[in-house]
Amino acid sequence: MQGLSPSARLRIEELSARYPRKRSALIPSLQIAQEEAGYISEEIMVEIARMMELSPNEVREVVSFYSLLHQKPVGRYVIQVCTNISCQLCDAEGILRHLRRRLGIGPGETTPDMKYTLLEVECLGSCGTSPVMQINDEYHENLTPEKIDCILDGLQ
Amino acid sequence: MPESVSLTIDGQEIRAPKGTMVLEAARTAGILIPHYCYHPGLPVVGSCRMCLVEIEKVPKLQPSCATPVAEGMVVRTTTPQALENRRSVLEFLLANHPLDCPVCDQAGECGLQDYYMEHGRYDARHDEDKTRRKKAVPLGPHIMLDQERCILCTRCVRFTRDITRTGELGVLSRGHRSVIDVFPGTTLDNPYSGNVADLCPVGALTDRDFRFQCRVWFLGSVPSICPGCSRGCNIEIHYNRRFDPRYHDRRVHRLKPRPNPEVNGFWICDEGRYAYRTIDAADRLKIPALRRGDGLREASWAEAIGEAAGALRGVLGGNGPGAAAVMVSPQMSNEELFLARRLFRDRLGIDRIAGRAPAAAGASGDDFLIRADKNPNTRGMDLLFPDAGDCRDLVESCAGGRIRYLHIFRHDLSRWYDPGRLAEALREVDCVVFEGSWDSPTARLADVVLPAAVYAEKEGTFVNFQGRVQRFYPAVPPPGAALTDLDILARLAAALEAGAAGSTAAGLFGEIAAHVPEFAPLTWQSLGPTGRWLANPGNDHAV
Ligand code: SF4
Ligand code: FES
Ligand code: FES
């Protein structure tokens, strides 16, 4: 298992020096770590906890709270499907069912070729255009199964 | 004295110090507002919403655990709105709570059960399956976790973060997926870990030691003092009220902390908590015994007391009081020490008295509750026997052949004296009397063994290291033929015709107050449930 690279450590140290309490830099530090490895391993959590003067579980609380932070390796495309109330009313279940069938994986799983990870998430804040999913940093709105096929076909 | 304000709660006029939360102010007036996340020993988070109450002129219900009292405030805790809130909170909490009460140790003392019976009582409206999570996960040596039962009040998390500062526990994930857990590969193992089972309002964290041992409604409870170190943490002894030796192998099932802000706050250490096992341990002394040849033979009390008294009388008459010696112990109560002082020192004129012994190997303390001195009453012994000598020196005197009668209270000398040399030293003494509760190499070297009650089987007082005089009460009777030290000393005094009057703990405490200036302002009654300070406790008060 790899720890943080020296340059990531340096960036995190610089960040946390900007705050009266080091822990204030926790979320950006986790983003730096994830940029590097694609996810945040337990080893990295322990390392960051030490740097921020936190217990490892406090770091894990934050990592597990945010759906944008991953505890396991993820695919090149992380697909987050909203199944919260507004999307639910617009058949988010059907959207999810379609994705399951098309990708052959369930929420929380990654395809063997490491291309896709499927996640079920809470409200993405775009209820007006539900149902909604997010692929990496981009929103895809007013989804239908056809539209999804079209989007996925366009991904390398 | 902090400034105080007056307010009205449910029609009662209440005065409370400024800064008090409404929930606490209500409690002092006997109004118990249901709550989960709030605990008086932990930082307030106001997250469970169970404690909401109506406050006049405030449009929405307010969390009573996080709302400070204010002058003229009018609080109502049982309005239809407040009651409806409790029902709703319970409905949400129970939506995913398993109904495994029949196999849950918490049943009978569970915050969900109790409040449901008081405030819930709704018909279930959920058809959905309950969420499934990890059950029966050992978190460490003492604690078992059931994630399904957890209501996420975070008391346990705050305990490990703010009280022990060990930070083992956390709330992971969010929403209905949230669970309590330790970090992978770590355990909940700190010297105070048992407290989280007491803190947990439901059966999510239970004590592995108590698991499936006894339903809580069969337990009786008696206030006591932990004898494990000189802190003297206030505890409750929980014993099986329906103990039957045919079916049960122990009478005392667990110890729980009893709040005392001056001494232990709300907590006790694990070492003290699990030391209850010594009460019903297999090596308890239960029957008096006398040396016959190489071995000890069981005897009646009359024979045992007769032999000890005869030997002592012979030595006092033949060699004088200088040839008799007594080892008192900081494990003895003040009353026992006082009675021993009156009998041996005042009536019989024995002044070879030792008390202090070397600490057991590895005895250590910390900067929270645990003290390195593993005796509950060193301070009391020092007050009642200010001139008591060192036990090691007394063993040396025995080895030197200067002692003909030795009365040992409780000490196991082999813990700090080479066992081989100890046997030789005690062989020099004509009559060694051992008065104590557990078998030990020392007991086996004695000529007379007098089985004595432990703290859970008698009443008395200890003085803790801070100078707080605290009272303990009997929970169960002494086992077998064992007697309390007060009874044993009274019998010995009677056999020696040295006067036996005033051998109740209450009476003796009165005499201590009359004879020992530090105890002068105290009375047996005034000690109350949480004790009182000595006249000059010193400046060691801080918890
Ligand atoms: S385990 Fe118990 S104390 Fe801890 S959060 Fe859950 S209900 Fe509260
Ligand atoms: S509920 Fe799906 S975006 Fe708000
Ligand atoms: S006890 Fe007040 S919000 Fe939990």
Side-chain angles (χ1 to χ4, degrees):
Chain A
M1 252 312 127
Q2 278 211 319
L4 291 167
S5 71
S7 71
R9 279 192 75 94
L10 200 69
R11 281 171 72 197
I12 291 174
E13 270 158 19
E14 274 168 15
L15 257 179
S16 50
R18 291 192 209 155
Y19 299 93
R21 296 202 304 170
K22 293 185 181 170
R23 62 194 301 170
S24 307
L26 180 57
I27 290 180
S29 304
L30 291 168
Q31 284 169 327
I32 292 172
Q34 182 159 297
E35 247 167 57
E36 222 173 38
Y39 75 107
I40 301 161
S41 66
E42 281 158 22
E43 288 77 359
I44 301 261
M45 290 186 220
V46 172
E47 195 174 340
I48 291 183
R50 213 173 289 133
M51 295 175 77
M52 307 271 123
E53 291 162 3
L54 292 166
S55 67
N57 235 359
E58 281 171 300
V59 175
R60 188 159 156 251
E61 280 184 343
V62 173
V63 174
S64 64
F65 186 89
Y66 291 105
S67 52
L68 288 171
L69 297 173
H70 309 300
Q71 295 183 69
K72 287 189 293 194
V74 289
R76 226 163 348 118
Y77 298 104
V78 177
I79 305 176
Q80 311 202 357
V81 183
C82 171
T83 53
N84 218 171
I85 187 77
S86 305
C87 293
Q88 189 75 253
L89 292 172
C90 295
D91 198 28
E93 288 298 319
I95 298 297
L96 194 59
R97 208 177 317 119
H98 183 72
L99 279 164
R100 274 176 189 270
R101 208 177 307 128
R102 160 105 198 213
L103 303 175
I105 52 172
E109 292 172 0
T110 299
T111 53
D113 61 359
M114 294 304 279
K115 185 162 180 194
Y116 299 109
T117 295
L118 183 59
L119 297 173
E120 200 184 329
V121 296
E122 305 304 336
C123 182
L124 290 171
S126 185
C127 309
T129 57
S130 52
V132 180
M133 70 178 179
Q134 180 180 348
I135 302 186
N136 292 348
D137 292 338
E138 261 168 54
Y139 272 26
H140 298 272
E141 298 153 303
N142 297 313
L143 295 173
T144 60
E146 296 71 38
K147 202 165 169 186
I148 290 176
D149 286 339
C150 192
I151 295 165
L152 294 188
D153 289 341
L155 294 177
Q156 296 312 302
Chain B
M1 252 340 230
E3 224 183 297
S4 77
V5 299
S6 66
L7 69 161
T8 313
I9 304 182
D10 291 347
Q12 279 193 58
E13 283 283 340
I14 291 167
R15 286 202 75 79
K18 223 175 173 169
T20 313
M21 296 302 162
V22 169
L23 188 146
E24 278 300 339
R27 197 205 300 264
T28 59
I31 300 167
L32 299 177
I33 301 174
H35 57 275
Y36 287 121
C37 65
Y38 175 80
H39 185 284
L42 299 172
V44 173
V45 289
S47 63
C48 74
R49 314 317 276 176
M50 188 64 181
C51 69
L52 303 193
V53 294
E54 244 178 76
I55 297 178
E56 218 165 72
K57 301 203 190 78
V58 184
K60 289 204 297 181
L61 294 178
Q62 296 297 307
S64 58
C65 68
T67 307
V69 294
E71 186 61 41
M73 193 181 241
V74 179
V75 180
R76 293 192 190 86
T77 72
T78 55
T79 62
Q81 241 196 329
L83 295 181
E84 184 49 36
N85 171 67
R86 288 175 203 169
R87 282 165 61 94
S88 305
V89 169
L90 282 164
E91 189 170 11
F92 275 123
L93 290 177
L94 287 165
N96 277 317
H97 192 86
L99 291 178
D100 52 7
C101 308
V103 294
C104 177
D105 276 323
Q106 191 81 4
E109 53 182 9
C110 171
L112 277 176
Q113 279 186 335
D114 294 349
Y115 290 152
Y116 177 81
M117 294 313 287
E118 245 177 278
H119 303 285
R121 299 242 184 198
Y122 52 80
D123 289 324
R125 293 190 285 175
H126 293 271
D127 296 331
E128 297 82 1
D129 288 340
K130 291 176 186 268
T131 51
R132 301 303 310 270
R133 291 169 232 240
K134 289 195 269 174
K135 293 179 84 71
V137 189
L139 287 187
H142 304 305
I143 298 298
M144 191 72 93
L145 168 69
D146 184 312
Q147 291 180 337
E148 290 184 350
R149 295 180 190 156
C150 173
I151 59 166
L152 294 165
C153 68
T154 72
R155 284 185 185 185
C156 57
V157 176
R158 281 173 279 152
F159 179 79
T160 60
R161 290 203 183 148
D162 297 293
I163 305 299
T164 57
R165 294 174 202 277
T166 43
E168 294 97 333
L169 295 172
V171 186
L172 303 168
S173 295
R174 69 170 144 167
H176 72 283
R177 295 193 188 86
S178 304
V179 290
I180 294 291
D181 210 344
V182 290
F183 194 77
T186 66
T187 56
L188 174 60
D189 186 8
N190 67 58
Y192 299 91
S193 67
N195 291 295
V196 300
D198 307 335
L199 276 175
C200 182
V202 297
L205 297 172
T206 50
D207 197 318
R208 294 179 68 182
D209 182 84
F210 181 65
R211 196 169 159 80
F212 305 145
Q213 291 303 303
C214 184
R215 303 283 7 189
V216 298
W217 49 87
F218 295 132
L219 295 174
S221 169
V222 161
S224 190
I225 301 299
C226 175
C229 83
S230 61
R231 168 79 54 184
C233 290
N234 292 208
I235 56 171
E236 281 173 12
I237 299 176
H238 289 183
Y239 61 96
N240 188 345
R241 282 187 288 115
R242 306 208 310 183
F243 173 76
D244 183 329
R246 284 173 301 173
Y247 311 124
H248 307 130
D249 53 8
R250 56 172 65 142
R251 304 168 299 164
V252 173
H253 275 295
R254 62 179 185 183
L255 305 178
K256 289 271 184 187
R258 190 161 56 85
N260 185 340
E262 305 286 359
V263 178
N264 54 303
F266 299 86
W267 327 115
I268 55 173
C269 75
D270 291 352
E271 201 178 318
R273 180 184 300 265
Y274 301 110
Y276 78 90
R277 297 192 191 98
T278 60
I279 297 169
D280 291 315
D283 62 350
R284 282 292 304 272
L285 296 172
K286 295 181 182 152
I287 312 220
L290 294 174
R291 177 156 305 281
R292 288 295 174 255
D294 271 349
L296 286 163
R297 178 178 65 71
E298 290 184 352
S300 69
W301 273 105
E303 288 173 293
I305 292 286
E307 180 134 336
L312 181 51
R313 198 183 296 112
V315 170
L316 292 174
N319 313 68
V326 181
M327 249 182 230
V328 292
S329 156
Q331 300 273 335
M332 296 164 77
S333 70
N334 295 314
E335 297 70 24
E336 290 158 3
L337 287 161
F338 185 80
L339 194 56
R341 162 169 134 163
R342 194 168 67 186
L343 173 63
F344 292 113
R345 196 191 74 177
D346 301 347
R347 298 264 161 81
L348 304 176
I350 298 170
D351 52 17
R352 260 185 209 274
I353 295 177
R356 289 247 183 193
S364 65
D366 63 17
D367 56 3
F368 186 28
L369 298 178
I370 302 171
R371 306 287 303 174
D373 177 3
K374 299 303 172 197
N375 297 296
N377 202 25
T378 300
R379 190 100 189 239
M381 185 182 77
D382 288 349
L383 289 169
L384 290 160
F385 286 99
D387 306 322
D390 186 286
C391 291
R392 243 173 328 191
D393 297 342
L394 186 48
V395 180
E396 296 297 340
S397 304
C398 293
R402 292 190 288 279
I403 309 294
R404 308 255 62 88
Y405 176 94
L406 175 63
H407 197 112
I408 304 169
F409 286 97
R410 307 204 154 256
H411 291 279
D412 178 9
L413 316 182
S414 69
R415 288 214 194 159
W416 39 262
Y417 204 88
D418 175 72
R421 289 182 49 220
L422 179 66
E424 280 168 32
L426 295 188
R427 214 172 297 133
E428 294 297 320
V429 183
D430 297 340
C431 179
V432 175
V433 177
F434 178 81
E435 181 170 339
S437 305
W438 295 277
D439 193 15
S440 69
T442 306
R444 266 167 267 140
L445 290 170
D447 300 294
V448 181
V449 177
L450 307 176
V454 297
Y455 76 106
E457 297 157 352
K458 61 191 181 184
E459 61 179 340
T461 60
F462 294 136
V463 188
N464 84 345
F465 79 101
Q466 302 161 291
R468 197 159 182 91
V469 184
Q470 308 191 95
R471 194 169 153 191
F472 54 89
Y473 299 76
V476 290
L483 293 173
T484 65
D485 291 287
L486 294 184
D487 282 342
I488 298 171
L489 285 171
R491 287 183 189 214
L492 189 61
L496 289 161
E497 286 153 13
S503 62
T504 67
L508 287 161
F509 191 83
E511 288 191 54
I512 296 172
H515 287 94
V516 185
E518 286 83 351
F519 287 85
L522 306 175
T523 64
W524 186 246
Q525 293 309 329
S526 77
L527 295 179
T530 54
R532 294 279 298 272
W533 298 115
L534 287 172
N536 290 303
N539 49 11
D540 230 358
H541 276 201
V543 172

